[in-house]
Amino acid sequence: MTSHSDTTSGFATPPDPAAHPPNIHAAGAVVWRRTRPGGPIEIVLAHRPKYEDWSLPKGKLDPGETPMVAAVREVAEETGLRTRLSRYLGHVTYPVPGHRRIKRVDYWTATVLGGEFVPNDEVDQLRWYPADRALEELSYPMDRGIVGEFLRLPPDTETLLLVRHAKAGQRARFTGPDDQRPLEKAGFAQLETLTPSLLAFGPQVLYSAPPLRCVQTIEPLASSLGVDIAPEPLLSESGYAAEPQRALARIRELIFPDTVPLVCSQGKVIPPLLEQWARQSGLTLPPARNRKGTVWVLSVSDGRLVAADHLDRALRAR
Protein backbone atom coordinates (compact mmCIF):
# COMPACT_ATOMS: atom_id res chain seq x y z
CA MET A 1 0.00 0.00 0.00
CA THR A 2 1.42 3.36 -1.00
CA SER A 3 1.81 5.76 1.92
CA HIS A 4 1.78 9.54 1.90
CA SER A 5 2.96 11.91 4.60
CA ASP A 6 0.32 13.91 6.47
CA THR A 7 0.60 17.47 7.75
CA THR A 8 -1.40 19.31 10.40
CA SER A 9 -4.11 21.39 8.75
CA GLY A 10 -4.65 23.94 11.51
CA PHE A 11 -7.92 22.69 13.02
CA ALA A 12 -8.09 23.77 16.67
CA THR A 13 -10.35 20.81 17.53
CA PRO A 14 -10.91 17.47 15.75
CA PRO A 15 -12.62 18.33 12.45
CA ASP A 16 -16.24 17.51 11.85
CA PRO A 17 -16.59 15.48 8.60
CA ALA A 18 -19.93 17.15 7.93
CA ALA A 19 -18.43 20.64 8.15
CA HIS A 20 -15.15 20.16 6.25
CA PRO A 21 -14.61 18.56 2.83
CA PRO A 22 -12.24 15.58 2.79
CA ASN A 23 -8.62 16.35 2.03
CA ILE A 24 -7.40 12.74 2.03
CA HIS A 25 -8.93 10.40 -0.54
CA ALA A 26 -8.72 6.62 -0.45
CA ALA A 27 -10.47 3.64 -2.02
CA GLY A 28 -11.03 -0.01 -1.27
CA ALA A 29 -13.28 -2.98 -1.90
CA VAL A 30 -15.37 -5.75 -0.44
CA VAL A 31 -13.55 -8.69 -2.02
CA TRP A 32 -15.67 -11.83 -2.15
CA ARG A 33 -15.76 -15.39 -3.45
CA ARG A 34 -17.99 -18.45 -3.33
CA THR A 35 -16.75 -21.56 -1.54
CA ARG A 36 -18.29 -23.65 -4.37
CA PRO A 37 -20.58 -22.95 -7.34
CA GLY A 38 -23.90 -21.80 -5.92
CA GLY A 39 -22.54 -22.07 -2.39
CA PRO A 40 -22.25 -19.43 0.36
CA ILE A 41 -20.01 -16.42 -0.07
CA GLU A 42 -16.90 -15.45 1.86
CA ILE A 43 -15.43 -11.97 2.34
CA VAL A 44 -11.73 -11.27 2.80
CA LEU A 45 -10.50 -9.23 5.79
CA ALA A 46 -7.01 -7.83 6.27
CA HIS A 47 -5.17 -7.62 9.60
CA ARG A 48 -2.96 -4.55 9.96
CA PRO A 49 -0.33 -5.01 12.68
CA LYS A 50 0.27 -1.27 12.92
CA TYR A 51 -3.30 -0.74 14.16
CA GLU A 52 -4.08 -4.26 15.42
CA ASP A 53 -7.36 -4.21 13.52
CA TRP A 54 -9.31 -6.23 10.97
CA SER A 55 -10.53 -4.13 8.05
CA LEU A 56 -11.52 -4.13 4.42
CA PRO A 57 -8.54 -3.67 2.09
CA LYS A 58 -8.12 -0.02 1.16
CA GLY A 59 -5.55 2.74 0.73
CA LYS A 60 -4.83 6.28 -0.40
CA LEU A 61 -5.03 7.49 -3.97
CA ASP A 62 -1.75 8.24 -5.71
CA PRO A 63 -1.48 11.69 -7.39
CA GLY A 64 -3.65 11.76 -10.51
CA GLU A 65 -5.23 8.39 -9.73
CA THR A 66 -8.97 7.77 -9.83
CA PRO A 67 -10.65 5.93 -6.94
CA MET A 68 -11.36 2.87 -9.11
CA VAL A 69 -7.74 2.48 -10.15
CA ALA A 70 -6.64 3.01 -6.55
CA ALA A 71 -9.09 0.40 -5.25
CA VAL A 72 -7.73 -2.31 -7.57
CA ARG A 73 -4.11 -1.33 -6.90
CA GLU A 74 -4.50 -1.16 -3.13
CA VAL A 75 -6.32 -4.49 -2.94
CA ALA A 76 -3.48 -6.05 -4.93
CA GLU A 77 -0.79 -4.45 -2.76
CA GLU A 78 -2.42 -5.42 0.54
CA THR A 79 -3.77 -8.87 -0.35
CA GLY A 80 -1.87 -10.05 -3.43
CA LEU A 81 -5.23 -10.60 -5.18
CA ARG A 82 -6.02 -9.44 -8.70
CA THR A 83 -9.61 -8.22 -8.84
CA ARG A 84 -12.17 -6.50 -11.00
CA LEU A 85 -14.67 -4.03 -9.62
CA SER A 86 -18.42 -4.00 -10.13
CA ARG A 87 -21.11 -2.34 -7.97
CA TYR A 88 -20.34 0.85 -6.06
CA LEU A 89 -21.00 0.47 -2.33
CA GLY A 90 -20.76 4.09 -1.20
CA HIS A 91 -18.17 5.96 0.85
CA VAL A 92 -17.28 6.67 4.44
CA THR A 93 -15.86 9.93 5.77
CA TYR A 94 -14.06 10.38 9.07
CA PRO A 95 -11.41 12.49 10.84
CA VAL A 96 -7.89 11.04 10.87
CA PRO A 97 -6.70 10.76 14.50
CA GLY A 98 -3.67 12.89 15.24
CA HIS A 99 -3.65 14.66 11.88
CA ARG A 100 -6.77 16.88 12.01
CA ARG A 101 -7.69 15.89 8.51
CA ILE A 102 -10.81 14.42 6.91
CA LYS A 103 -10.54 11.16 4.98
CA ARG A 104 -12.98 9.82 2.40
CA VAL A 105 -12.87 6.17 1.37
CA ASP A 106 -14.89 4.94 -1.65
CA TYR A 107 -15.73 1.23 -1.86
CA TRP A 108 -16.71 -1.17 -4.62
CA THR A 109 -17.60 -4.83 -4.84
CA ALA A 110 -14.61 -6.79 -6.19
CA THR A 111 -14.39 -10.25 -7.75
CA VAL A 112 -11.18 -12.26 -7.45
CA LEU A 113 -9.40 -13.07 -10.72
CA GLY A 114 -6.26 -14.64 -9.25
CA GLY A 115 -3.23 -13.96 -7.10
CA GLU A 116 -1.89 -15.14 -3.76
CA PHE A 117 -1.38 -13.43 -0.41
CA VAL A 118 2.14 -12.82 0.89
CA PRO A 119 2.50 -11.13 4.32
CA ASN A 120 3.84 -7.60 3.99
CA ASP A 121 4.57 -4.48 6.04
CA GLU A 122 0.95 -3.33 5.83
CA VAL A 123 -0.94 -6.62 6.23
CA ASP A 124 0.41 -9.65 8.09
CA GLN A 125 -2.72 -11.85 7.95
CA LEU A 126 -5.52 -12.35 5.44
CA ARG A 127 -8.62 -14.37 6.28
CA TRP A 128 -11.76 -15.38 4.42
CA TYR A 129 -14.92 -15.34 6.53
CA PRO A 130 -18.59 -16.13 5.87
CA ALA A 131 -20.52 -12.88 5.55
CA ASP A 132 -22.06 -12.97 9.02
CA ARG A 133 -18.72 -13.80 10.65
CA ALA A 134 -17.00 -11.02 8.68
CA LEU A 135 -19.46 -8.51 10.16
CA GLU A 136 -18.49 -9.71 13.63
CA GLU A 137 -14.75 -9.66 13.02
CA LEU A 138 -14.52 -6.19 11.44
CA SER A 139 -13.06 -3.64 13.86
CA TYR A 140 -15.01 -0.60 12.66
CA PRO A 141 -18.76 0.11 12.38
CA MET A 142 -18.18 2.01 9.11
CA ASP A 143 -16.72 -1.12 7.50
CA ARG A 144 -19.71 -3.12 8.74
CA GLY A 145 -22.00 -0.57 7.08
CA ILE A 146 -20.21 -1.05 3.74
CA VAL A 147 -20.51 -4.84 4.04
CA GLY A 148 -24.20 -4.39 4.86
CA GLU A 149 -24.64 -2.48 1.59
CA PHE A 150 -22.75 -5.22 -0.23
CA LEU A 151 -25.15 -7.83 1.19
CA ARG A 152 -28.21 -5.83 0.11
CA LEU A 153 -28.01 -7.37 -3.40
CA PRO A 154 -26.72 -10.69 -4.71
CA PRO A 155 -22.99 -10.24 -5.37
CA ASP A 156 -22.80 -12.17 -8.63
CA THR A 157 -24.89 -9.90 -10.81
CA GLU A 158 -23.65 -9.22 -14.36
CA THR A 159 -21.91 -5.91 -15.06
CA LEU A 160 -22.29 -3.75 -18.16
CA LEU A 161 -20.33 -0.53 -18.72
CA LEU A 162 -22.09 2.21 -20.68
CA VAL A 163 -19.81 5.06 -21.77
CA ARG A 164 -20.64 8.37 -23.37
CA HIS A 165 -18.00 9.36 -25.92
CA ALA A 166 -15.39 11.94 -24.94
CA LYS A 167 -15.38 15.58 -26.05
CA ALA A 168 -15.67 16.07 -29.80
CA GLY A 169 -16.27 19.80 -30.28
CA GLN A 170 -19.50 21.34 -31.48
CA ARG A 171 -21.65 19.73 -34.14
CA ALA A 172 -22.32 23.05 -35.90
CA ARG A 173 -18.61 23.78 -36.37
CA PHE A 174 -17.79 20.54 -38.17
CA THR A 175 -18.23 20.73 -41.94
CA GLY A 176 -18.18 17.03 -42.79
CA PRO A 177 -20.70 14.25 -42.09
CA ASP A 178 -21.48 14.23 -38.37
CA ASP A 179 -20.62 10.54 -38.01
CA GLN A 180 -17.06 11.47 -39.03
CA ARG A 181 -16.65 14.20 -36.39
CA PRO A 182 -13.53 13.20 -34.40
CA LEU A 183 -12.55 13.74 -30.81
CA GLU A 184 -10.98 17.10 -30.07
CA LYS A 185 -7.75 17.59 -28.14
CA ALA A 186 -9.62 17.79 -24.83
CA GLY A 187 -11.40 14.54 -25.68
CA PHE A 188 -8.16 12.66 -26.24
CA ALA A 189 -6.90 14.08 -22.95
CA GLN A 190 -9.96 12.60 -21.21
CA LEU A 191 -8.95 9.13 -22.40
CA GLU A 192 -5.79 9.23 -20.27
CA THR A 193 -8.01 9.02 -17.19
CA LEU A 194 -10.95 7.15 -18.69
CA THR A 195 -9.05 4.14 -20.08
CA PRO A 196 -7.34 2.94 -16.85
CA SER A 197 -10.55 3.58 -14.91
CA LEU A 198 -12.51 1.34 -17.28
CA LEU A 199 -9.83 -1.35 -17.01
CA ALA A 200 -10.52 -1.52 -13.26
CA PHE A 201 -13.92 -3.08 -14.09
CA GLY A 202 -12.40 -5.79 -16.30
CA PRO A 203 -14.21 -5.21 -19.61
CA GLN A 204 -13.73 -8.09 -22.05
CA VAL A 205 -15.87 -7.31 -25.11
CA LEU A 206 -16.27 -3.85 -26.62
CA TYR A 207 -19.12 -2.40 -28.67
CA SER A 208 -19.54 1.07 -30.13
CA ALA A 209 -22.09 3.16 -31.94
CA PRO A 210 -20.69 3.80 -35.45
CA PRO A 211 -19.77 7.53 -35.14
CA LEU A 212 -16.00 8.02 -35.20
CA ARG A 213 -15.94 9.87 -31.87
CA CYS A 214 -17.50 6.85 -30.14
CA VAL A 215 -15.02 4.41 -31.66
CA GLN A 216 -12.06 6.70 -30.87
CA THR A 217 -13.14 6.91 -27.22
CA ILE A 218 -12.55 3.21 -26.62
CA GLU A 219 -9.71 2.56 -29.10
CA PRO A 220 -7.01 2.86 -26.40
CA LEU A 221 -8.97 0.39 -24.28
CA ALA A 222 -9.29 -2.02 -27.21
CA SER A 223 -5.55 -1.74 -27.85
CA SER A 224 -4.78 -2.44 -24.18
CA LEU A 225 -7.05 -5.51 -24.15
CA GLY A 226 -6.05 -6.75 -27.60
CA VAL A 227 -9.67 -6.99 -28.79
CA ASP A 228 -11.70 -5.59 -31.66
CA ILE A 229 -14.57 -3.10 -31.36
CA ALA A 230 -17.88 -4.41 -32.68
CA PRO A 231 -20.27 -1.86 -34.26
CA GLU A 232 -23.75 -1.45 -32.75
CA PRO A 233 -25.88 0.75 -35.06
CA LEU A 234 -28.99 0.37 -32.87
CA LEU A 235 -27.15 2.17 -30.07
CA SER A 236 -26.38 5.27 -32.15
CA GLU A 237 -28.61 8.35 -32.00
CA SER A 238 -30.23 7.57 -35.35
CA GLY A 239 -30.62 3.86 -34.56
CA TYR A 240 -32.12 4.49 -31.15
CA ALA A 241 -34.49 7.19 -32.41
CA ALA A 242 -35.84 4.83 -35.08
CA GLU A 243 -36.23 1.74 -32.84
CA PRO A 244 -35.87 2.45 -29.10
CA GLN A 245 -37.40 -0.88 -28.01
CA ARG A 246 -35.08 -2.88 -30.26
CA ALA A 247 -32.13 -0.87 -28.95
CA LEU A 248 -33.00 -1.76 -25.36
CA ALA A 249 -33.49 -5.40 -26.32
CA ARG A 250 -30.11 -5.36 -28.07
CA ILE A 251 -28.17 -4.00 -25.09
CA ARG A 252 -29.75 -6.69 -22.92
CA GLU A 253 -28.58 -9.31 -25.42
CA LEU A 254 -24.96 -8.25 -24.84
CA ILE A 255 -25.01 -9.44 -21.21
CA PHE A 256 -23.62 -12.89 -20.38
CA PRO A 257 -22.51 -14.49 -17.09
CA ASP A 258 -18.82 -14.02 -16.27
CA THR A 259 -18.41 -11.52 -19.12
CA VAL A 260 -18.17 -7.74 -18.79
CA PRO A 261 -19.33 -5.96 -21.96
CA LEU A 262 -18.71 -2.27 -22.61
CA VAL A 263 -20.78 -0.07 -24.92
CA CYS A 264 -19.80 3.42 -26.08
CA SER A 265 -22.76 5.51 -27.20
CA GLN A 266 -24.11 9.05 -27.48
CA GLY A 267 -25.82 11.72 -25.42
CA LYS A 268 -29.27 11.33 -26.97
CA VAL A 269 -29.24 7.57 -26.42
CA ILE A 270 -27.95 6.91 -22.91
CA PRO A 271 -30.42 8.89 -20.73
CA PRO A 272 -33.65 7.74 -22.42
CA LEU A 273 -32.44 4.15 -22.80
CA LEU A 274 -31.49 3.95 -19.11
CA GLU A 275 -34.73 5.63 -18.02
CA GLN A 276 -36.72 3.08 -20.01
CA TRP A 277 -34.73 0.15 -18.62
CA ALA A 278 -34.86 1.45 -15.04
CA ARG A 279 -38.60 2.07 -15.24
CA GLN A 280 -39.22 -1.50 -16.43
CA SER A 281 -36.95 -2.78 -13.63
CA GLY A 282 -38.50 -0.70 -10.86
CA LEU A 283 -35.19 1.09 -10.20
CA THR A 284 -34.72 4.81 -9.50
CA LEU A 285 -31.63 6.17 -11.24
CA PRO A 286 -29.28 8.48 -9.33
CA PRO A 287 -29.06 12.08 -10.57
CA ALA A 288 -26.52 12.48 -13.36
CA ARG A 289 -25.70 15.04 -16.04
CA ASN A 290 -24.43 12.33 -18.42
CA ARG A 291 -21.63 14.52 -19.65
CA LYS A 292 -19.11 13.50 -22.30
CA GLY A 293 -16.54 11.01 -21.10
CA THR A 294 -18.67 9.73 -18.22
CA VAL A 295 -19.55 6.14 -17.36
CA TRP A 296 -22.51 4.16 -16.08
CA VAL A 297 -21.68 0.93 -14.25
CA LEU A 298 -24.82 -1.18 -14.53
CA SER A 299 -25.58 -4.25 -12.40
CA VAL A 300 -28.02 -6.67 -14.02
CA SER A 301 -29.81 -9.78 -12.78
CA ASP A 302 -31.98 -11.86 -15.15
CA GLY A 303 -32.19 -8.91 -17.53
CA ARG A 304 -33.38 -6.58 -14.75
CA LEU A 305 -31.39 -3.51 -13.82
CA VAL A 306 -30.78 -3.78 -10.06
CA ALA A 307 -28.16 -1.01 -9.61
CA ALA A 308 -26.83 1.86 -11.70
CA ASP A 309 -23.75 3.79 -10.59
CA HIS A 310 -22.65 6.93 -12.40
CA LEU A 311 -19.02 8.03 -12.61
CA ASP A 312 -18.92 11.72 -13.41
CA ARG A 313 -16.46 13.60 -15.62
CA ALA A 314 -13.76 13.45 -12.94
CA LEU A 315 -14.55 9.72 -12.71
CA ARG A 316 -15.57 9.96 -9.11
CA ALA A 317 -18.66 8.05 -8.01
CA ARG A 318 -21.66 10.05 -6.87
Side-chain angles (χ1 to χ4, degrees), residues 27-33 41-45 55-58 71 75 79 81 83-90 105-112 128-129 131 134-135 138 142-151 155:
V30 174
V31 182
W32 70 280
R33 69 183 184 187
I41 64 168
E42 293 181 329
I43 295 170
V44 76
L45 302 187
S55 67
L56 301 172
K58 63 181 182 298
V75 167
T79 71
L81 301 175
T83 58
R84 69 168 177 240
L85 307 183
S86 53
R87 183 166 63 96
Y88 181 59
L89 299 175
V105 188
D106 289 274
Y107 286 97
W108 280 264
T109 299
T111 305
V112 178
W128 290 93
Y129 287 114
L135 287 168
L138 281 165
M142 287 182 291
D143 283 0
R144 291 194 286 273
I146 292 296
V147 172
E149 173 60 23
F150 164 75
L151 295 172

Side-chain angles (χ1 to χ4, degrees), residues 109-244:
T109 299
T111 305
V112 178
L113 302 177
E116 185 176 348
F117 173 65
V118 176
N120 54 75
D121 291 340
E122 296 283 347
V123 176
D124 63 348
Q125 297 180 63
L126 201 70
R127 292 183 185 173
W128 290 93
Y129 287 114
D132 55 351
R133 177 76 183 277
L135 287 168
E136 295 175 0
E137 294 293 334
L138 281 165
S139 299
Y140 306 111
M142 287 182 291
D143 283 0
R144 291 194 286 273
I146 292 296
V147 172
E149 173 60 23
F150 164 75
L151 295 172
R152 187 176 62 84
L153 293 175
D156 42 6
T157 54
E158 285 85 40
T159 299
L160 183 143
L161 304 174
L162 185 54
V163 182
R164 185 180 178 190
H165 68 76
K167 295 179 180 178
Q170 295 184 19
R171 203 175 289 223
R173 293 184 179 180
F174 184 68
T175 57
D178 188 60
D179 274 7
Q180 293 302 309
R181 178 158 50 98
L183 296 183
E184 60 182 358
K185 184 177 180 180
F188 283 111
Q190 283 182 294
L191 305 189
E192 296 178 11
T193 301
L194 178 64
T195 301
S197 298
L198 292 172
L199 284 169
F201 294 93
Q204 297 150 299
V205 287
L206 308 183
Y207 305 90
S208 177
L212 177 61
R213 54 195 178 274
C214 295
V215 176
Q216 286 181 322
T217 296
I218 57 173
E219 279 181 335
L221 181 64
S223 178
S224 178
L225 295 172
V227 302
D228 295 327
I229 300 171
E232 281 296 336
L234 277 172
L235 300 174
S236 67
E237 288 184 351
S238 58
Y240 180 80
E243 298 182 276

